[in-house]
Amino acid sequence: MVELKKKNWTRLTFATVMATVMVVVAACGNQKDSGTENGGNQGNNASQETITLTMMHPWTSPNVDNEVYKARIASFEAEFPHIKIQQDGVAAAQYKTKLFTLATANNLADINVTWPGADLDPLVKGNLLMPLNDYMDNWNGLVLEDALVGYSADGNQLAIPTKRNFVDIIYYNKEYLSQVGYDEFPSTYEDFIDMIKKLKEAGITPISLGNKEKWPLQSSYMSIIGQRFAGADFFNKVMAGEAELTDPQFVKAIAVIEELTQLEAFNVDANNMDSVQAQDYLIQGKAAMHISSATVDGRIRTTNEEGDKFGIALFPSVPDGLGDPKMASGVSQFGISIKSGLDEKKQAAAIEFMKYFVSEELYTDLAKAGILVPANVEMGDDISPYLKEMYELTSHGSSPVFDAVINTQAAKEFENGLQAITVGRSTPEKVAQDAQALIER
């Protein structure tokens, strides 16, 4: 960028000065990487108009990936002081509801965190997201193509995913399982139930569950249990009208929640505890197992001095099951998208944010924190062995997550029904019927 010499400055008219400044601003805005220290960039942007972008995200819990995301936002604001990110952090359990409520009113934030598949459909139908096709050179070759697919529609790329998550990882206390005769995690459902009974007899809570937010049983449990019984393509068939949640194989899957409830496998306060508290139950030695996403490996093992106490496994094979017991249930998450219809200045600022935020640096920071990423990045020697183990466990293919395929209204009804089962107020058949009715409606 060429600096105007002082002697030439006095000869320029006011109009010429303003035109020159606008050219300089545009040149700076088009740079992919400023290549300067924060102080230098602040000097260049000091006289620029301040632009405020609103951003809604679900990064409110103390998970390690959430801290990485918020640190990246802070770094952007330091690098581009003329662009302010006004954050609206919404708890994960309420995030999608608020997102769709704002979408209905055409009042989305300027930048939004989105999910693929069924969750993206309403935003696509409303033309609420800006296509990113003209800017894909920033991510081609970096982001894995199969991770981008869920965020594209009608030939338009509408968001860029920032992490790859598997929702069904079983974290277990090695010592507790060994205490009841299981030096390895059971590979069959029969042995799994036997282990739960023995843990109960030993006075150990088998599974810590925090279902206050209702999504854990739906997402972390039924995504994979449904796959084990009904097959990897079952949820897609349901939405295509080729299968129903009331099919016998899937009702058998729901019955697993009923059986675990009857065996008192969960902590008694499961419906009054949130997902983070349930993680703490496992970490503190109050339960033998916890079923949650790959993301929480950061808390349970990577940043935990006693991380070696815990192993990871997938849900075992089930009798007459149609699914592959080696598969995990996964999805590319936290797609960053831009609201359509922004004015020229806000759109330019939002694109600048996208290029900076969704970058190789972000993916590398996430990987160092033990988070699976949908990108081609160098792992390096400093990558946690726990992360390598997680990659190996989840490297045998993935099946869909329930609420990434089943429409939101039906998924919420399903969550309510599963919680009702845990307090003896519903049955697998009724839960399936109620959710299926909303799909057909």
Side-chain angles (χ1 to χ4, degrees):
M1 195 178 299
V2 180
E3 181 181 357
L4 293 175
K5 295 183 179 179
K6 186 174 181 181
K7 64 180 181 179
N8 290 334
W9 179 269
T10 57
R11 300 175 183 176
L12 294 173
T13 66
F14 177 78
T16 305
V17 170
M18 292 306 297
T20 304
V21 169
M22 291 304 295
V23 169
V24 173
V25 169
C28 292
N30 288 331
Q31 287 181 346
K32 181 176 179 180
D33 186 350
S34 65
T36 61
E37 297 297 323
N38 290 351
N41 216 352
Q42 289 172 357
N44 290 332
N45 293 327
S47 62
Q48 293 186 29
E49 175 186 357
T50 298
I51 298 173
T52 299
L53 297 173
T54 57
M55 180 179 188
M56 192 169 80
H57 62 68
W59 303 325
T60 60
S61 63
N63 292 340
V64 292
D65 60 323
N66 292 349
E67 301 307 318
V68 172
Y69 290 126
K70 288 186 284 188
R72 191 70 182 162
I73 294 174
S75 176
F76 172 81
E77 289 186 310
E79 189 78 11
F80 297 87
H82 66 294
I83 303 176
K84 303 299 181 184
I85 307 299
Q86 181 178 316
Q87 301 179 55
D88 180 12
V90 181
Q94 289 81 45
Y95 183 84
K96 291 181 183 179
T97 298
K98 182 170 182 179
L99 180 69
F100 296 136
T101 299
L102 293 175
T104 301
N106 193 20
N107 195 30
L108 289 178
D110 301 326
I111 301 168
N112 297 275
V113 174
T114 54
W115 277 258
D119 288 320
L120 196 70
D121 287 345
L123 308 181
V124 172
K125 292 176 181 177
N127 296 316
L128 299 177
L129 302 180
M130 187 189 91
L132 301 171
N133 301 31
D134 293 341
Y135 310 98
M136 289 308 296
D137 284 349
N138 292 282
W139 302 289
N140 288 335
L142 174 62
V143 183
L144 301 177
E145 290 186 13
D146 66 337
L148 291 169
V149 171
Y151 292 93
S152 63
D154 303 325
N156 290 320
Q157 190 67 44
L158 299 170
I160 309 297
T162 55
K163 78 172 184 179
R164 172 163 280 176
N165 199 14
F166 292 89
V167 301
D168 59 325
I169 306 302
I170 302 178
Y171 300 90
Y172 63 90
N173 186 308
K174 299 175 185 177
E175 180 183 337
Y176 286 171
L177 267 60
S178 179
Q179 188 175 324
V180 296
Y182 284 88
D183 292 326
E184 293 184 358
F185 197 85
S187 60
T188 67
Y189 184 70
E190 181 182 12
D191 286 342
F192 178 68
I193 294 299
D194 175 71
M195 182 181 68
I196 286 175
K197 292 177 179 178
K198 289 178 177 177
L199 286 166
K200 285 292 293 182
E201 291 171 0
I204 301 170
T205 299
I207 306 173
S208 67
L209 170 65
N211 201 50
K212 180 180 180 180
E213 303 149 305
K214 298 184 181 179
W215 62 261
L217 282 180
Q218 171 264 114
S219 184
S220 292
Y221 284 70
M222 290 309 304
S223 293
I224 196 59
I225 299 174
Q227 185 265 9
R228 293 292 190 262
F229 279 92
D233 57 351
F234 178 74
F235 299 139
N236 288 318
K237 285 183 176 180
V238 169
M239 293 308 296
E242 300 169 3
E244 297 183 354
L245 296 180
T246 53
D247 289 355
Q249 282 295 103
F250 191 68
V251 173
K252 288 181 184 178
I254 302 174
V256 170
I257 304 302
E258 184 176 55
E259 181 172 15
L260 293 175
T261 298
Q262 292 170 350
L263 291 173
E264 298 180 342
F266 305 125
N267 43 293
V268 295
D269 52 353
N271 289 321
N272 296 316
M273 179 183 294
D274 65 30
S275 54
V276 175
Q277 290 172 313
Q279 295 165 29
D280 291 337
Y281 247 50
L282 177 76
I283 294 170
Q284 295 164 7
K286 297 178 180 179
M289 291 176 282
H290 177 67
I291 304 177
S292 189
S293 72
T295 296
V296 306
D297 199 25
R299 293 193 73 225
I300 294 174
R301 301 198 301 169
T302 306
T303 61
N304 183 359
E305 292 182 356
E306 297 183 305
D308 286 343
K309 290 172 53 176
F310 304 103
I312 55 174
L314 298 178
F315 200 83
S317 63
V318 300
D320 302 317
L322 303 179
D324 183 349
K326 291 183 179 181
M327 274 191 179
S329 184
V331 65
S332 293
Q333 284 188 330
F334 294 169
I336 310 301
S337 59
I338 298 174
K339 177 184 177 181
S340 63
L342 296 181
D343 63 43
E344 185 176 351
K345 291 180 181 179
K346 276 198 167 187
Q347 180 174 303
I351 293 167
E352 197 71 64
F353 174 81
M354 282 281 293
K355 291 190 295 184
Y356 185 95
F357 186 81
V358 188
S359 61
E360 184 174 355
E361 289 79 6
L362 174 71
Y363 292 125
T364 300
D365 288 346
L366 287 169
K368 287 180 179 179
I371 304 300
L372 300 170
V373 295
N376 293 306
V377 293
E378 290 290 335
M379 287 298 173
D381 296 332
D382 56 345
I383 292 297
S384 164
Y386 299 128
L387 182 61
K388 294 179 181 178
E389 185 183 4
M390 186 68 73
Y391 269 111
E392 175 58 30
L393 181 69
T394 58
S395 65
H396 305 288
S398 65
S399 58
V401 174
F402 186 93
D403 59 354
V405 178
I406 304 300
N407 69 60
T408 301
Q409 194 174 13
K412 290 297 181 184
E413 178 63 30
F414 190 61
E415 289 178 0
N416 293 333
L418 292 173
Q419 191 174 76
I421 286 177
T422 66
V423 292
R425 295 179 182 172
S426 193
T427 65
E429 291 79 9
K430 187 177 188 310
V431 170
Q433 290 168 5
D434 291 347
Q436 180 63 34
L438 287 177
I439 292 174
E440 294 173 356
R441 188 184 304 172

